[in-house]
Amino acid sequence: WGRNCQYGKYVDIMPNDALQYCLCPSCTAAKLPGPNYANDVIWKATAGIAQRLIDEGVPGFITQMSYSPYKDVPSFDLPTNVLVMVAVGGPFSVCDEASLEKQFARTKAWVAKTGHKVWHWTYPGKHGERAFKDVPDICPRAWGRFYKEMSPYSLGAFAESESERWFYHHLNYYVFGKVLWNVKTDVDALLEEYYRLMFGKGADAMRRFDEEMEDIWMNEIISTQVETPLGPKNAGISSFELWSRVVDVKRIRRFDALFEEALRAVG
């Protein structure tokens, strides 16, 4: 276990990332078929520790992540002092309704198992197959939709959102923070206010750029995600396709024209 795992009455007993499964006879015999081969071993250990704390009158909670290779809801009951964090794709899955439906289904199954809301680890970042340098992944509408729709089942969320330029994510984070503070936030109204206050008379041109970039990122660059033992992965396009077909010279020139339009508008 990691050492950075205790916060007051909450103690995390999740194995470290990139779990190396034990190959002793007992653990080998307990392996399940498929990518979630460690499911019963990990959740039985979690349930056993949690129940011992209850039996010995130790207050507090055990936290554990639903994560590969132990992300499925177990068939057996969990003690009431087990709190679960569910790892799901997050906002970038909005472009793939089938993947999104699976994430909601697994979340709801965990809520039903534990009897209360869970919280989430999400992956809306430019890492792995999505690490297309110099391409903005400005997606505030997708971030707003995902976290608002997940809110009936979620206590909150962490967004693992690496990027080579912070500015690509500043609007995503702005919407993220507002929605987590108040899930009834009107994202369209929030964005309208943002563009008006940030860009003045150049607001319309800058909004059009951001909205087109979001459509490009979601529907042309990362439009297909697949679940793997290492989490959700993008099955998208090559760098050659990206720069020769998607963000080609013609499109870049149109973006330049939008920026010039905004500059002229603000004087």
Side-chain angles (χ1 to χ4, degrees), residues 138 141 195 199 201-216 254-255 257-262 264-265:
I138 303 167
R141 293 174 295 171
Y195 288 111
F199 300 109
K201 293 180 179 179
D204 183 62
M206 295 307 298
R207 180 193 295 107
R208 280 183 281 151
F209 169 75
D210 282 359
E211 289 181 351
E212 183 167 352
M213 275 310 314
E214 178 164 359
D215 290 338
I216 290 170
R254 187 164 76 256
F255 292 155
L258 283 174
F259 297 146
E260 290 295 330
E261 179 184 333
R264 287 195 302 271

Short mmCIF file of all heavy atoms in Angstrom, two decimals, residues 138 141 195 199 201-216 254-255 257-262 264-265:
data_model
loop_
_atom_site.label_atom_id
_atom_site.label_comp_id
_atom_site.label_asym_id
_atom_site.label_seq_id
_atom_site.Cartn_x
_atom_site.Cartn_y
_atom_site.Cartn_z
N ILE A 138 -10.34 22.14 -25.74
CA ILE A 138 -11.28 23.03 -25.05
C ILE A 138 -12.67 22.41 -25.13
O ILE A 138 -13.29 22.42 -26.19
CB ILE A 138 -11.27 24.43 -25.70
CG1 ILE A 138 -9.85 25.01 -25.70
CG2 ILE A 138 -12.25 25.36 -25.00
CD1 ILE A 138 -9.70 26.23 -26.58
N ARG A 141 -18.42 22.34 -22.66
CA ARG A 141 -19.79 21.80 -22.74
C ARG A 141 -19.80 20.33 -22.34
O ARG A 141 -20.71 19.87 -21.64
CB ARG A 141 -20.35 22.00 -24.14
CG ARG A 141 -20.59 23.47 -24.52
CD ARG A 141 -21.01 23.62 -25.98
NE ARG A 141 -19.93 23.21 -26.88
CZ ARG A 141 -20.06 23.06 -28.20
NH1 ARG A 141 -21.24 23.25 -28.76
NH2 ARG A 141 -19.04 22.70 -28.95
N TYR A 195 -17.49 34.61 -22.05
CA TYR A 195 -17.01 35.20 -23.31
C TYR A 195 -17.22 36.72 -23.32
O TYR A 195 -16.36 37.46 -23.79
CB TYR A 195 -17.72 34.56 -24.51
CG TYR A 195 -17.26 33.15 -24.76
CD1 TYR A 195 -18.08 32.05 -24.53
CD2 TYR A 195 -15.96 32.90 -25.21
CE1 TYR A 195 -17.65 30.76 -24.74
CE2 TYR A 195 -15.52 31.60 -25.42
CZ TYR A 195 -16.36 30.54 -25.19
OH TYR A 195 -15.91 29.26 -25.39
N PHE A 199 -13.68 38.60 -23.45
CA PHE A 199 -13.28 39.07 -24.78
C PHE A 199 -14.04 40.29 -25.27
O PHE A 199 -13.77 40.77 -26.37
CB PHE A 199 -13.45 37.92 -25.80
CG PHE A 199 -12.61 36.72 -25.47
CD1 PHE A 199 -13.20 35.54 -25.02
CD2 PHE A 199 -11.23 36.75 -25.63
CE1 PHE A 199 -12.43 34.43 -24.73
CE2 PHE A 199 -10.46 35.63 -25.34
CZ PHE A 199 -11.05 34.47 -24.88
N LYS A 201 -16.10 42.79 -27.15
CA LYS A 201 -16.73 42.75 -28.47
C LYS A 201 -16.18 41.62 -29.36
O LYS A 201 -16.75 41.34 -30.41
CB LYS A 201 -16.54 44.10 -29.17
CG LYS A 201 -17.30 45.24 -28.49
CD LYS A 201 -17.08 46.55 -29.21
CE LYS A 201 -17.85 47.68 -28.53
NZ LYS A 201 -17.64 48.98 -29.21
N GLY A 202 -15.11 40.99 -28.92
CA GLY A 202 -14.58 39.84 -29.65
C GLY A 202 -15.18 38.52 -29.21
O GLY A 202 -14.74 37.46 -29.65
N ALA A 203 -16.20 38.58 -28.36
CA ALA A 203 -16.76 37.37 -27.75
C ALA A 203 -17.30 36.39 -28.78
O ALA A 203 -17.07 35.18 -28.69
CB ALA A 203 -17.85 37.74 -26.75
N ASP A 204 -18.02 36.88 -29.78
CA ASP A 204 -18.67 35.98 -30.73
C ASP A 204 -17.65 35.16 -31.52
O ASP A 204 -17.80 33.94 -31.67
CB ASP A 204 -19.55 36.78 -31.70
CG ASP A 204 -20.29 35.87 -32.67
OD1 ASP A 204 -21.11 35.05 -32.21
OD2 ASP A 204 -20.04 35.98 -33.90
N ALA A 205 -16.60 35.82 -32.00
CA ALA A 205 -15.58 35.12 -32.77
C ALA A 205 -14.85 34.09 -31.91
O ALA A 205 -14.57 32.96 -32.35
CB ALA A 205 -14.58 36.11 -33.36
N MET A 206 -14.55 34.44 -30.66
CA MET A 206 -13.83 33.52 -29.79
C MET A 206 -14.71 32.35 -29.37
O MET A 206 -14.23 31.21 -29.24
CB MET A 206 -13.32 34.26 -28.55
CG MET A 206 -12.27 35.32 -28.87
SD MET A 206 -10.88 34.69 -29.84
CE MET A 206 -10.20 33.47 -28.74
N ARG A 207 -16.00 32.61 -29.20
CA ARG A 207 -16.91 31.51 -28.89
C ARG A 207 -16.97 30.53 -30.06
O ARG A 207 -16.94 29.30 -29.85
CB ARG A 207 -18.31 32.03 -28.60
CG ARG A 207 -19.29 30.90 -28.26
CD ARG A 207 -20.73 31.33 -28.26
NE ARG A 207 -21.03 32.30 -27.22
CZ ARG A 207 -21.26 33.59 -27.43
NH1 ARG A 207 -21.22 34.07 -28.67
NH2 ARG A 207 -21.53 34.39 -26.44
N ARG A 208 -17.05 31.06 -31.28
CA ARG A 208 -17.10 30.18 -32.46
C ARG A 208 -15.84 29.32 -32.57
O ARG A 208 -15.92 28.13 -32.93
CB ARG A 208 -17.29 31.01 -33.73
CG ARG A 208 -18.75 31.43 -33.97
CD ARG A 208 -18.89 32.18 -35.27
NE ARG A 208 -18.45 33.57 -35.14
CZ ARG A 208 -17.95 34.29 -36.14
NH1 ARG A 208 -17.78 33.76 -37.33
NH2 ARG A 208 -17.59 35.54 -35.94
N PHE A 209 -14.67 29.91 -32.25
CA PHE A 209 -13.44 29.11 -32.28
C PHE A 209 -13.50 27.98 -31.25
O PHE A 209 -13.22 26.81 -31.56
CB PHE A 209 -12.22 29.99 -32.01
CG PHE A 209 -10.97 29.19 -31.76
CD1 PHE A 209 -10.31 28.59 -32.82
CD2 PHE A 209 -10.48 29.00 -30.47
CE1 PHE A 209 -9.17 27.82 -32.60
CE2 PHE A 209 -9.34 28.25 -30.25
CZ PHE A 209 -8.68 27.65 -31.31
N ASP A 210 -13.84 28.31 -30.02
CA ASP A 210 -13.87 27.31 -28.96
C ASP A 210 -14.87 26.20 -29.26
O ASP A 210 -14.58 25.01 -29.05
CB ASP A 210 -14.23 27.96 -27.62
CG ASP A 210 -13.05 28.70 -27.00
OD1 ASP A 210 -11.96 28.68 -27.58
OD2 ASP A 210 -13.25 29.31 -25.92
N GLU A 211 -16.05 26.57 -29.75
CA GLU A 211 -17.07 25.56 -30.02
C GLU A 211 -16.65 24.65 -31.18
O GLU A 211 -16.91 23.44 -31.14
CB GLU A 211 -18.41 26.24 -30.32
CG GLU A 211 -19.03 26.87 -29.06
CD GLU A 211 -20.36 27.53 -29.32
OE1 GLU A 211 -20.74 27.65 -30.52
OE2 GLU A 211 -21.03 27.94 -28.35
N GLU A 212 -16.00 25.21 -32.19
CA GLU A 212 -15.53 24.36 -33.29
C GLU A 212 -14.41 23.45 -32.82
O GLU A 212 -14.36 22.27 -33.19
CB GLU A 212 -15.05 25.20 -34.48
CG GLU A 212 -14.64 24.33 -35.65
CD GLU A 212 -14.46 25.09 -36.95
OE1 GLU A 212 -14.80 26.29 -37.01
OE2 GLU A 212 -13.99 24.47 -37.93
N MET A 213 -13.51 23.97 -31.97
CA MET A 213 -12.44 23.12 -31.46
C MET A 213 -13.00 21.99 -30.61
O MET A 213 -12.51 20.86 -30.65
CB MET A 213 -11.46 23.95 -30.63
CG MET A 213 -10.37 24.65 -31.42
SD MET A 213 -9.42 23.64 -32.61
CE MET A 213 -9.04 22.17 -31.70
N GLU A 214 -14.03 22.27 -29.81
CA GLU A 214 -14.64 21.20 -29.02
C GLU A 214 -15.25 20.14 -29.93
O GLU A 214 -15.08 18.93 -29.69
CB GLU A 214 -15.70 21.76 -28.07
CG GLU A 214 -16.39 20.67 -27.27
CD GLU A 214 -17.16 21.17 -26.05
OE1 GLU A 214 -17.14 22.40 -25.79
OE2 GLU A 214 -17.77 20.35 -25.35
N ASP A 215 -15.95 20.57 -30.98
CA ASP A 215 -16.54 19.61 -31.92
C ASP A 215 -15.46 18.79 -32.62
O ASP A 215 -15.62 17.57 -32.81
CB ASP A 215 -17.40 20.34 -32.95
CG ASP A 215 -18.66 20.92 -32.35
OD1 ASP A 215 -19.09 20.44 -31.27
OD2 ASP A 215 -19.22 21.87 -32.93
N ILE A 216 -14.36 19.43 -32.99
CA ILE A 216 -13.26 18.71 -33.65
C ILE A 216 -12.66 17.68 -32.69
O ILE A 216 -12.46 16.52 -33.06
CB ILE A 216 -12.18 19.71 -34.11
CG1 ILE A 216 -12.68 20.55 -35.28
CG2 ILE A 216 -10.90 18.97 -34.52
CD1 ILE A 216 -11.77 21.70 -35.63
N ARG A 254 -8.84 29.50 -41.33
CA ARG A 254 -10.13 29.99 -40.85
C ARG A 254 -10.04 30.40 -39.38
O ARG A 254 -10.63 31.39 -38.97
CB ARG A 254 -11.23 28.94 -41.04
CG ARG A 254 -12.62 29.48 -40.69
CD ARG A 254 -13.76 28.65 -41.21
NE ARG A 254 -13.96 27.46 -40.42
CZ ARG A 254 -13.60 26.24 -40.80
NH1 ARG A 254 -12.97 26.08 -41.96
NH2 ARG A 254 -13.83 25.19 -40.05
N PHE A 255 -9.28 29.63 -38.60
CA PHE A 255 -9.08 30.02 -37.21
C PHE A 255 -8.33 31.35 -37.12
O PHE A 255 -8.68 32.21 -36.30
CB PHE A 255 -8.29 28.93 -36.47
CG PHE A 255 -9.04 27.64 -36.28
CD1 PHE A 255 -8.36 26.45 -36.12
CD2 PHE A 255 -10.43 27.62 -36.26
CE1 PHE A 255 -9.04 25.26 -35.94
CE2 PHE A 255 -11.13 26.43 -36.09
CZ PHE A 255 -10.42 25.24 -35.92
N ALA A 257 -8.48 33.70 -39.19
CA ALA A 257 -9.45 34.73 -39.55
C ALA A 257 -10.37 35.07 -38.37
O ALA A 257 -10.73 36.24 -38.17
CB ALA A 257 -10.28 34.27 -40.75
N LEU A 258 -10.74 34.06 -37.57
CA LEU A 258 -11.57 34.31 -36.39
C LEU A 258 -10.82 35.16 -35.37
O LEU A 258 -11.38 36.10 -34.78
CB LEU A 258 -11.98 32.99 -35.75
CG LEU A 258 -13.10 32.19 -36.43
CD1 LEU A 258 -13.29 30.84 -35.76
CD2 LEU A 258 -14.41 32.96 -36.42
N PHE A 259 -9.54 34.89 -35.18
CA PHE A 259 -8.75 35.66 -34.24
C PHE A 259 -8.60 37.12 -34.73
O PHE A 259 -8.69 38.05 -33.93
CB PHE A 259 -7.37 35.05 -34.04
CG PHE A 259 -7.41 33.65 -33.44
CD1 PHE A 259 -6.48 32.70 -33.82
CD2 PHE A 259 -8.37 33.31 -32.51
CE1 PHE A 259 -6.51 31.43 -33.27
CE2 PHE A 259 -8.41 32.04 -31.95
CZ PHE A 259 -7.46 31.09 -32.35
N GLU A 260 -8.41 37.27 -36.03
CA GLU A 260 -8.31 38.64 -36.59
C GLU A 260 -9.62 39.37 -36.43
O GLU A 260 -9.66 40.57 -36.13
CB GLU A 260 -7.92 38.56 -38.06
CG GLU A 260 -6.49 38.11 -38.31
CD GLU A 260 -5.47 39.10 -37.76
OE1 GLU A 260 -5.77 40.31 -37.72
OE2 GLU A 260 -4.37 38.67 -37.37
N GLU A 261 -10.74 38.67 -36.62
CA GLU A 261 -12.06 39.25 -36.45
C GLU A 261 -12.25 39.74 -35.01
O GLU A 261 -12.76 40.84 -34.76
CB GLU A 261 -13.14 38.23 -36.81
CG GLU A 261 -14.56 38.74 -36.63
CD GLU A 261 -15.60 37.65 -36.90
OE1 GLU A 261 -15.32 36.71 -37.67
OE2 GLU A 261 -16.70 37.73 -36.31
N ALA A 262 -11.82 38.90 -34.05
CA ALA A 262 -11.94 39.29 -32.64
C ALA A 262 -11.06 40.51 -32.32
O ALA A 262 -11.50 41.43 -31.61
CB ALA A 262 -11.55 38.11 -31.75
N ARG A 264 -10.09 42.88 -34.40
CA ARG A 264 -10.69 44.09 -35.00
C ARG A 264 -11.88 44.57 -34.17
O ARG A 264 -12.08 45.78 -34.00
CB ARG A 264 -11.14 43.79 -36.44
CG ARG A 264 -10.01 43.66 -37.43
CD ARG A 264 -10.52 43.73 -38.87
NE ARG A 264 -11.51 42.70 -39.13
CZ ARG A 264 -11.22 41.47 -39.58
NH1 ARG A 264 -9.95 41.13 -39.79
NH2 ARG A 264 -12.18 40.58 -39.81
N ALA A 265 -12.64 43.63 -33.65
CA ALA A 265 -13.85 44.00 -32.90
C ALA A 265 -13.50 44.76 -31.61
O ALA A 265 -14.20 45.71 -31.24
CB ALA A 265 -14.67 42.76 -32.57
#
